[in-house]
Coordinates of all heavy atoms in Angstrom, one line a residue:
L26 N -8.1 -5.0 -9.0 CA -9.0 -4.4 -8.0 C -9.9 -3.5 -8.7 O -9.4 -2.5 -9.4 CB -8.2 -3.7 -6.9 CG -9.0 -3.2 -5.7 CD1 -9.5 -4.4 -4.9 CD2 -8.1 -2.3 -4.9
R27 N -11.2 -3.7 -8.6 CA -12.2 -2.8 -9.2 C -12.8 -2.0 -8.0 O -13.3 -2.6 -7.1 CB -13.3 -3.5 -9.9 CG -12.8 -4.2 -11.2 CD -13.9 -4.8 -11.9 NE -14.4 -6.0 -11.2 CZ -15.7 -6.2 -11.0 NH1 -16.6 -5.4 -11.5 NH2 -16.1 -7.3 -10.3
L28 N -12.7 -0.7 -8.1 CA -13.2 0.2 -7.0 C -14.6 0.7 -7.4 O -14.9 1.1 -8.5 CB -12.3 1.4 -6.9 CG -10.9 1.1 -6.5 CD1 -10.1 2.4 -6.4 CD2 -10.8 0.4 -5.1
D29 N -15.5 0.6 -6.4 CA -16.8 1.2 -6.6 C -16.7 2.7 -6.5 O -15.7 3.2 -6.0 CB -17.8 0.8 -5.5 CG -18.3 -0.7 -5.8 OD1 -17.9 -1.3 -6.8 OD2 -19.1 -1.1 -4.9
P30 N -17.6 3.5 -7.1 CA -17.6 5.0 -7.0 C -17.4 5.4 -5.5 O -18.1 4.9 -4.6 CB -18.9 5.4 -7.5 CG -19.3 4.3 -8.5 CD -18.8 3.1 -7.8
G31 N -16.4 6.3 -5.3 CA -16.2 6.8 -4.0 C -15.2 6.1 -3.2 O -14.7 6.5 -2.2
A32 N -14.8 4.9 -3.6 CA -13.8 4.1 -2.9 C -12.4 4.6 -3.2 O -12.1 5.2 -4.2 CB -13.8 2.6 -3.4
R33 N -11.5 4.4 -2.2 CA -10.1 4.9 -2.3 C -9.2 3.8 -2.0 O -9.3 3.1 -1.0 CB -9.9 6.1 -1.4 CG -10.8 7.3 -1.7 CD -10.8 8.4 -0.7 NE -10.7 8.1 0.7 CZ -11.7 7.7 1.5 NH1 -12.9 7.7 1.0 NH2 -11.6 7.5 2.7
A34 N -8.1 3.7 -2.8 CA -7.1 2.7 -2.6 C -5.7 3.2 -3.1 O -5.7 4.2 -3.8 CB -7.4 1.4 -3.4
A35 N -4.7 2.6 -2.6 CA -3.3 2.9 -2.9 C -2.5 1.6 -3.2 O -2.7 0.7 -2.4 CB -2.7 3.8 -1.9
L36 N -1.7 1.6 -4.2 CA -0.8 0.5 -4.5 C 0.3 0.4 -3.4 O 1.0 1.4 -3.2 CB -0.2 0.6 -5.9 CG 0.7 -0.5 -6.3 CD1 -0.1 -1.8 -6.4 CD2 1.3 -0.2 -7.6
A37 N 0.4 -0.7 -2.7 CA 1.4 -0.9 -1.7 C 2.6 -1.7 -2.2 O 3.7 -1.4 -1.8 CB 0.8 -1.6 -0.5
S38 N 2.4 -2.6 -3.1 CA 3.5 -3.5 -3.6 C 3.0 -4.2 -4.9 O 1.9 -4.6 -5.0 CB 3.8 -4.5 -2.6 OG 4.7 -5.5 -3.0
L39 N 4.0 -4.3 -5.8 CA 3.7 -5.1 -7.0 C 4.0 -6.6 -6.9 O 3.3 -7.4 -7.4 CB 4.5 -4.6 -8.2 CG 4.1 -3.2 -8.7 CD1 5.0 -2.7 -9.8 CD2 2.7 -3.3 -9.3
M40 N 5.0 -6.9 -6.1 CA 5.4 -8.3 -5.9 C 5.6 -8.5 -4.4 O 6.6 -8.1 -3.9 CB 6.7 -8.6 -6.6 CG 6.5 -8.6 -8.1 SD 5.1 -9.5 -8.7 CE 5.8 -11.0 -9.1
P41 N 4.8 -9.2 -3.7 CA 3.5 -9.8 -4.2 C 2.5 -8.7 -4.4 O 2.6 -7.6 -3.7 CB 3.1 -10.7 -3.1 CG 3.7 -10.2 -1.8 CD 5.0 -9.5 -2.3
P42 N 1.5 -8.9 -5.2 CA 0.5 -7.8 -5.4 C -0.3 -7.5 -4.2 O -0.9 -8.4 -3.5 CB -0.4 -8.4 -6.5 CG 0.0 -9.8 -6.7 CD 1.2 -10.1 -6.0
R43 N -0.2 -6.2 -3.8 CA -0.8 -5.8 -2.5 C -1.3 -4.4 -2.7 O -0.6 -3.5 -3.2 CB 0.2 -5.8 -1.4 CG -0.4 -5.6 0.0 CD 0.7 -5.8 1.0 NE 1.9 -5.1 0.7 CZ 3.0 -5.3 1.3 NH1 3.2 -6.1 2.3 NH2 4.1 -4.6 0.9
V44 N -2.6 -4.2 -2.2 CA -3.3 -2.9 -2.3 C -3.8 -2.5 -1.0 O -4.4 -3.3 -0.3 CB -4.4 -2.9 -3.4 CG1 -5.2 -1.6 -3.4 CG2 -3.9 -3.3 -4.7
R45 N -3.6 -1.2 -0.6 CA -4.2 -0.7 0.6 C -5.6 0.0 0.3 O -5.6 0.9 -0.5 CB -3.3 0.3 1.3 CG -3.9 0.9 2.6 CD -2.9 1.7 3.4 NE -1.8 0.9 3.8 CZ -1.8 0.0 4.9 NH1 -2.9 -0.1 5.6 NH2 -0.7 -0.6 5.2
L46 N -6.7 -0.6 0.9 CA -8.0 0.0 0.7 C -8.2 1.0 1.8 O -8.1 0.7 3.0 CB -9.1 -1.1 0.8 CG -10.5 -0.7 0.5 CD1 -10.7 0.0 -0.8 CD2 -11.5 -1.8 0.7
V47 N -8.4 2.2 1.4 CA -8.5 3.3 2.4 C -10.0 3.5 2.8 O -10.2 3.9 4.0 CB -7.9 4.7 1.8 CG1 -8.1 5.8 2.8 CG2 -6.5 4.5 1.4
G48 N -10.9 3.3 1.9 CA -12.3 3.4 2.3 C -13.2 3.0 1.1 O -12.7 3.0 -0.1
G49 N -14.4 2.6 1.4 CA -15.4 2.3 0.3 C -15.4 0.8 0.0 O -15.0 0.0 0.9
T50 N -15.9 0.5 -1.1 CA -16.1 -0.9 -1.6 C -15.4 -1.2 -2.8 O -15.3 -0.4 -3.7 CB -17.6 -1.2 -1.8 OG1 -18.3 -0.8 -0.6 CG2 -17.9 -2.6 -2.2
A51 N -14.8 -2.4 -2.9 CA -14.0 -2.8 -4.0 C -14.2 -4.3 -4.2 O -14.6 -5.1 -3.3 CB -12.5 -2.5 -3.8
V52 N -13.9 -4.8 -5.4 CA -13.9 -6.2 -5.8 C -12.4 -6.6 -6.1 O -11.9 -6.0 -7.1 CB -14.9 -6.6 -6.9 CG1 -14.7 -8.0 -7.3 CG2 -16.3 -6.3 -6.5
A53 N -11.9 -7.5 -5.4 CA -10.5 -8.0 -5.7 C -10.7 -9.3 -6.5 O -11.5 -10.1 -6.2 CB -9.8 -8.4 -4.4
E54 N -9.9 -9.3 -7.6 CA -9.9 -10.5 -8.5 C -8.6 -11.0 -8.7 O -7.6 -10.3 -8.9 CB -10.5 -10.0 -9.8 CG -12.0 -9.6 -9.7 CD -12.5 -9.0 -11.0 OE1 -11.7 -8.5 -11.8 OE2 -13.7 -9.2 -11.3
G55 N -8.5 -12.4 -8.8 CA -7.2 -13.0 -9.0 C -6.4 -13.1 -7.7 O -6.9 -12.9 -6.6
R56 N -5.1 -13.2 -7.9 CA -4.2 -13.3 -6.7 C -3.9 -11.9 -6.2 O -3.2 -11.1 -6.9 CB -2.9 -14.0 -7.1 CG -2.0 -14.2 -5.9 CD -0.8 -15.1 -6.3 NE 0.1 -15.2 -5.1 CZ 1.2 -14.5 -5.0 NH1 1.5 -13.6 -5.9 NH2 1.9 -14.6 -3.9
L57 N -4.4 -11.5 -5.0 CA -4.2 -10.2 -4.5 C -4.4 -10.2 -3.0 O -5.2 -10.9 -2.5 CB -5.3 -9.3 -5.2 CG -5.2 -7.8 -4.9 CD1 -3.9 -7.2 -5.4 CD2 -6.4 -7.1 -5.5
R58 N -3.6 -9.3 -2.4 CA -3.7 -9.1 -0.9 C -4.2 -7.7 -0.8 O -3.6 -6.7 -1.3 CB -2.4 -9.3 -0.2 CG -2.5 -8.9 1.2 CD -1.2 -9.3 2.0 NE -1.4 -10.7 2.4 CZ -0.6 -11.2 3.3 NH1 0.4 -10.6 3.8 NH2 -0.8 -12.5 3.7
V59 N -5.3 -7.5 -0.1 CA -5.9 -6.2 0.2 C -5.7 -5.9 1.6 O -6.1 -6.7 2.5 CB -7.4 -6.1 -0.3 CG1 -7.9 -4.7 0.0 CG2 -7.5 -6.5 -1.8
V60 N -5.2 -4.7 1.9 CA -4.9 -4.4 3.3 C -5.7 -3.2 3.7 O -5.2 -2.0 3.6 CB -3.3 -4.1 3.5 CG1 -3.0 -3.9 5.0 CG2 -2.5 -5.2 2.9
P61 N -6.9 -3.4 4.2 CA -7.7 -2.3 4.8 C -7.4 -2.2 6.3 O -6.7 -3.0 6.8 CB -9.1 -2.7 4.5 CG -9.1 -4.2 4.5 CD -7.7 -4.6 4.1
A62 N -8.0 -1.2 6.9 CA -8.0 -1.1 8.4 C -8.7 -2.3 8.9 O -9.6 -2.9 8.2 CB -8.6 0.2 8.9
H63 N -8.4 -2.8 10.0 CA -9.1 -4.0 10.7 C -8.7 -5.3 10.2 O -9.3 -6.3 10.6 CB -10.7 -3.8 10.6 CG -11.2 -2.5 11.0 ND1 -11.1 -2.1 12.3 CD2 -11.8 -1.6 10.3 CE1 -11.7 -0.9 12.4 NE2 -12.1 -0.5 11.2
G64 N -7.8 -5.5 9.3 CA -7.4 -6.8 8.8 C -6.7 -6.9 7.5 O -6.4 -5.8 6.9
I65 N -6.5 -8.1 7.0 CA -6.0 -8.3 5.7 C -6.9 -9.3 5.0 O -7.3 -10.3 5.6 CB -4.5 -8.9 5.8 CG1 -3.6 -7.9 6.5 CG2 -4.0 -9.4 4.5 CD1 -2.3 -8.5 6.9
V66 N -7.1 -9.1 3.7 CA -7.9 -10.0 2.9 C -7.0 -10.6 1.8 O -6.4 -9.8 1.0 CB -9.1 -9.3 2.2 CG1 -9.9 -10.2 1.3 CG2 -10.0 -8.6 3.2
D67 N -6.8 -11.9 1.8 CA -6.0 -12.6 0.9 C -6.9 -13.3 -0.1 O -7.8 -14.1 0.3 CB -5.1 -13.7 1.5 CG -3.8 -13.2 1.9 OD1 -3.3 -12.2 1.3 OD2 -3.2 -13.7 2.9
V68 N -6.8 -13.0 -1.4 CA -7.5 -13.7 -2.4 C -6.5 -14.5 -3.2 O -5.6 -13.8 -3.9 CB -8.3 -12.8 -3.3 CG1 -9.1 -13.6 -4.4 CG2 -9.3 -12.0 -2.5
E69 N -6.4 -15.8 -3.1 CA -5.4 -16.6 -3.8 C -5.8 -16.8 -5.3 O -5.0 -16.9 -6.1 CB -5.2 -17.9 -3.1 CG -4.5 -17.7 -1.7 CD -4.3 -19.0 -1.0 OE1 -4.3 -20.1 -1.7 OE2 -4.1 -18.9 0.2
D70 N -7.1 -17.1 -5.5 CA -7.6 -17.4 -6.8 C -9.1 -17.2 -6.7 O -9.8 -17.9 -6.0 CB -7.3 -18.8 -7.2 CG -7.8 -19.1 -8.6 OD1 -7.8 -18.2 -9.5 OD2 -8.1 -20.3 -8.9
G71 N -9.7 -16.3 -7.5 CA -11.1 -16.0 -7.4 C -11.4 -14.5 -7.2 O -10.6 -13.7 -7.7
S72 N -12.4 -14.2 -6.5 CA -12.8 -12.8 -6.3 C -13.5 -12.7 -5.0 O -14.2 -13.6 -4.5 CB -13.6 -12.3 -7.5 OG -14.8 -13.0 -7.6
A73 N -13.4 -11.5 -4.4 CA -14.0 -11.1 -3.2 C -14.5 -9.7 -3.2 O -13.8 -8.8 -3.7 CB -13.1 -11.3 -2.0
R74 N -15.7 -9.4 -2.6 CA -16.2 -8.1 -2.4 C -15.8 -7.6 -1.0 O -16.1 -8.3 0.0 CB -17.7 -8.1 -2.6 CG -18.3 -6.7 -2.5 CD -19.7 -6.7 -3.1 NE -20.2 -5.4 -3.2 CZ -20.0 -4.5 -4.1 NH1 -19.1 -4.8 -5.1 NH2 -20.5 -3.3 -4.1
I75 N -15.1 -6.5 -1.0 CA -14.6 -6.0 0.3 C -15.1 -4.6 0.5 O -15.1 -3.7 -0.3 CB -13.0 -5.9 0.2 CG1 -12.5 -7.2 -0.2 CG2 -12.4 -5.3 1.5 CD1 -11.0 -7.2 -0.7
E76 N -15.7 -4.4 1.7 CA -16.3 -3.1 2.1 C -15.7 -2.6 3.4 O -15.7 -3.3 4.4 CB -17.8 -3.2 2.2 CG -18.4 -1.9 2.5 CD -20.0 -1.9 2.6 OE1 -20.5 -3.0 2.3 OE2 -20.6 -0.9 3.0
L77 N -15.1 -1.4 3.3 CA -14.5 -0.8 4.5 C -15.3 0.5 4.8 O -15.3 1.4 4.0 CB -13.1 -0.5 4.3 CG -12.3 0.2 5.4 CD1 -12.3 -0.7 6.6 CD2 -10.9 0.6 5.0
G78 N -16.0 0.4 5.9 CA -16.9 1.6 6.3 C -16.7 1.9 7.8 O -15.8 1.4 8.4
S79 N -17.5 2.8 8.3 CA -17.4 3.2 9.6 C -17.6 2.1 10.7 O -17.2 2.2 11.8 CB -18.3 4.4 9.9 OG -19.7 4.0 9.7
E80 N -18.3 1.1 10.2 CA -18.6 -0.1 11.1 C -17.5 -1.1 11.1 O -17.6 -2.1 11.8 CB -20.0 -0.7 10.7 CG -21.1 0.2 11.0 CD -21.3 0.6 12.4 OE1 -21.3 -0.4 13.3 OE2 -21.6 1.7 12.7
G81 N -16.5 -1.0 10.2 CA -15.5 -2.0 10.1 C -15.3 -2.5 8.7 O -15.7 -1.9 7.7
L82 N -14.8 -3.8 8.7 CA -14.5 -4.4 7.4 C -15.5 -5.6 7.2 O -15.7 -6.4 8.1 CB -13.1 -5.0 7.5 CG -12.6 -5.9 6.4 CD1 -12.5 -5.1 5.1 CD2 -11.2 -6.4 6.8
D83 N -16.0 -5.7 6.0 CA -16.9 -6.8 5.6 C -16.4 -7.4 4.3 O -16.1 -6.7 3.3 CB -18.4 -6.2 5.4 CG -19.4 -7.3 5.1 OD1 -19.6 -8.1 6.0 OD2 -19.9 -7.3 4.0
V84 N -16.3 -8.7 4.3 CA -15.7 -9.4 3.1 C -16.7 -10.5 2.7 O -17.1 -11.3 3.6 CB -14.3 -10.1 3.5 CG1 -13.8 -10.8 2.3 CG2 -13.4 -9.0 4.0
L85 N -17.0 -10.6 1.4 CA -17.8 -11.7 0.9 C -16.9 -12.3 -0.2 O -16.6 -11.7 -1.2 CB -19.1 -11.1 0.3 CG -19.9 -12.1 -0.6 CD1 -20.4 -13.2 0.3 CD2 -21.1 -11.4 -1.2
L86 N -16.6 -13.6 0.0 CA -15.9 -14.3 -1.1 C -16.9 -14.7 -2.1 O -17.8 -15.5 -1.9 CB -15.2 -15.5 -0.5 CG -14.2 -16.3 -1.4 CD1 -13.1 -15.4 -1.8 CD2 -13.7 -17.6 -0.8
L87 N -16.7 -14.2 -3.3 CA -17.6 -14.5 -4.4 C -17.3 -15.9 -5.0 O -18.2 -16.6 -5.3 CB -17.5 -13.4 -5.5 CG -17.9 -12.0 -5.0 CD1 -17.5 -11.0 -6.0 CD2 -19.3 -12.0 -4.5
D88 N -16.0 -16.2 -5.2 CA -15.6 -17.5 -5.7 C -14.1 -17.7 -5.5 O -13.4 -16.7 -5.2 CB -15.9 -17.6 -7.2 CG -15.2 -16.6 -8.1 OD1 -14.0 -16.7 -8.2 OD2 -15.9 -15.7 -8.6
G89 N -13.7 -18.9 -5.6 CA -12.3 -19.2 -5.4 C -11.9 -19.5 -4.0 O -12.6 -20.0 -3.2
V90 N -10.6 -19.1 -3.7 CA -10.0 -19.3 -2.4 C -9.6 -18.0 -1.8 O -9.0 -17.2 -2.4 CB -8.8 -20.2 -2.5 CG1 -8.1 -20.5 -1.2 CG2 -9.2 -21.6 -3.2
G91 N -10.0 -17.8 -0.5 CA -9.6 -16.6 0.2 C -9.7 -16.7 1.7 O -10.2 -17.7 2.2
R92 N -9.1 -15.7 2.4 CA -9.2 -15.7 3.8 C -9.2 -14.2 4.3 O -8.7 -13.3 3.6 CB -8.0 -16.4 4.4 CG -6.7 -15.8 4.3 CD -5.5 -16.6 4.8 NE -5.4 -17.9 4.2 CZ -4.9 -18.1 3.0 NH1 -4.4 -17.1 2.3 NH2 -4.8 -19.3 2.5
L93 N -9.7 -14.1 5.5 CA -9.6 -12.8 6.3 C -8.7 -13.0 7.4 O -9.0 -13.9 8.3 CB -11.0 -12.4 6.7 CG -11.1 -11.2 7.7 CD1 -10.5 -10.0 7.0 CD2 -12.5 -11.0 8.2
I94 N -7.7 -12.2 7.5 CA -6.8 -12.2 8.6 C -7.1 -11.0 9.5 O -6.8 -9.9 9.1 CB -5.3 -12.2 8.2 CG1 -5.1 -13.4 7.2 CG2 -4.4 -12.3 9.4 CD1 -3.8 -13.3 6.5
A95 N -7.8 -11.2 10.6 CA -8.2 -10.1 11.5 C -7.3 -10.1 12.7 O -6.6 -11.1 13.0 CB -9.7 -10.3 11.8
P96 N -7.4 -9.1 13.5 CA -6.6 -9.0 14.7 C -6.8 -10.2 15.7 O -5.9 -10.6 16.4 CB -6.9 -7.7 15.4 CG -7.4 -6.8 14.2 CD -8.1 -7.8 13.3
D97 N -8.0 -10.7 15.7 CA -8.4 -11.7 16.7 C -8.3 -13.2 16.1 O -8.2 -14.1 16.9 CB -9.7 -11.5 17.2 CG -10.8 -11.5 16.2 OD1 -10.5 -11.3 15.0 OD2 -12.0 -11.6 16.5
A98 N -8.3 -13.3 14.8 CA -8.3 -14.7 14.2 C -8.1 -14.6 12.7 O -8.3 -13.6 12.1 CB -9.6 -15.4 14.5
T99 N -7.7 -15.8 12.1 CA -7.6 -16.0 10.7 C -8.8 -16.9 10.3 O -9.0 -17.9 10.9 CB -6.3 -16.6 10.2 OG1 -5.2 -15.7 10.6 CG2 -6.3 -16.9 8.7
R100 N -9.5 -16.5 9.3 CA -10.7 -17.2 8.9 C -10.6 -17.6 7.4 O -10.5 -16.7 6.5 CB -11.9 -16.4 9.2 CG -13.2 -17.2 8.9 CD -14.4 -16.5 9.5 NE -15.6 -17.1 9.0 CZ -16.8 -16.6 9.1 NH1 -16.9 -15.4 9.7 NH2 -17.8 -17.2 8.6
E101 N -10.6 -18.9 7.1 CA -10.6 -19.4 5.7 C -12.1 -19.2 5.2 O -13.0 -19.5 6.0 CB -10.2 -20.8 5.6 CG -8.8 -21.1 6.1 CD -7.7 -20.5 5.3 OE1 -7.9 -20.4 4.0 OE2 -6.7 -20.1 5.8
L102 N -12.3 -18.7 4.0 CA -13.6 -18.5 3.5 C -13.9 -19.4 2.3 O -13.1 -19.7 1.5 CB -13.7 -17.0 3.0 CG -13.5 -15.9 4.1 CD1 -13.5 -14.6 3.4 CD2 -14.5 -16.0 5.2
E103 N -15.2 -19.8 2.3 CA -15.7 -20.6 1.2 C -16.5 -19.7 0.3 O -17.0 -18.7 0.8 CB -16.7 -21.7 1.8 CG -16.0 -22.7 2.7 CD -15.1 -23.6 1.9 OE1 -15.3 -23.9 0.8 OE2 -14.1 -24.1 2.5
P104 N -16.6 -20.0 -1.0 CA -17.4 -19.1 -1.9 C -18.8 -18.9 -1.3 O -19.5 -19.8 -0.8 CB -17.4 -19.9 -3.2 CG -16.2 -20.7 -3.2 CD -16.0 -21.1 -1.7
G105 N -19.2 -17.7 -1.3 CA -20.6 -17.3 -0.8 C -20.5 -17.0 0.7 O -21.5 -16.5 1.3
E106 N -19.4 -17.2 1.4 CA -19.3 -16.9 2.8 C -18.9 -15.5 3.1 O -18.0 -14.9 2.4 CB -18.3 -17.9 3.4 CG -18.2 -17.9 4.9 CD -17.3 -18.9 5.5 OE1 -16.6 -19.6 4.7 OE2 -17.3 -19.0 6.7
R107 N -19.4 -14.9 4.1 CA -19.1 -13.5 4.5 C -18.4 -13.5 5.9 O -18.7 -14.3 6.7 CB -20.5 -12.7 4.6 CG -20.3 -11.3 5.0 CD -21.6 -10.6 5.0 NE -22.4 -10.7 3.8 CZ -22.3 -9.9 2.8 NH1 -21.5 -8.9 2.8 NH2 -23.1 -10.1 1.7
A108 N -17.5 -12.6 6.0 CA -16.8 -12.4 7.3 C -16.6 -11.0 7.6 O -16.6 -10.1 6.7 CB -15.4 -13.1 7.3
T109 N -16.6 -10.6 8.9 CA -16.5 -9.2 9.3 C -15.3 -9.1 10.3 O -15.0 -10.0 11.0 CB -17.8 -8.7 9.9 OG1 -18.1 -9.5 11.1 CG2 -18.9 -8.7 8.9
A110 N -14.8 -7.9 10.4 CA -13.8 -7.6 11.4 C -14.1 -6.1 11.8 O -14.3 -5.3 11.0 CB -12.4 -7.7 10.8
R111 N -14.1 -5.9 13.1 CA -14.4 -4.6 13.7 C -13.2 -4.0 14.4 O -12.4 -4.6 15.0 CB -15.6 -4.7 14.6 CG -16.8 -5.3 14.0 CD -17.5 -4.3 13.1 NE -18.7 -4.9 12.5 CZ -18.9 -5.1 11.2 NH1 -18.0 -4.7 10.3 NH2 -20.0 -5.6 10.7

């Protein structure tokens, strides 16, 4: 997980790899589950840009395979596809 300046995260688990994003913007790479407020972002293989702000959660799958698990639905993402959860 690469954090942009000002982003905050905490390691939640090593196996399976899971990180809690507290705020800001990060890029998840490889197999990783990111748990911000408003949902869960699963990156199985590839990378995703994840932004958690006052308006909610915004996810852009850059490449590979990923999904956004939000309170109202689970959404499989294609590379280049964006999803939001409020």
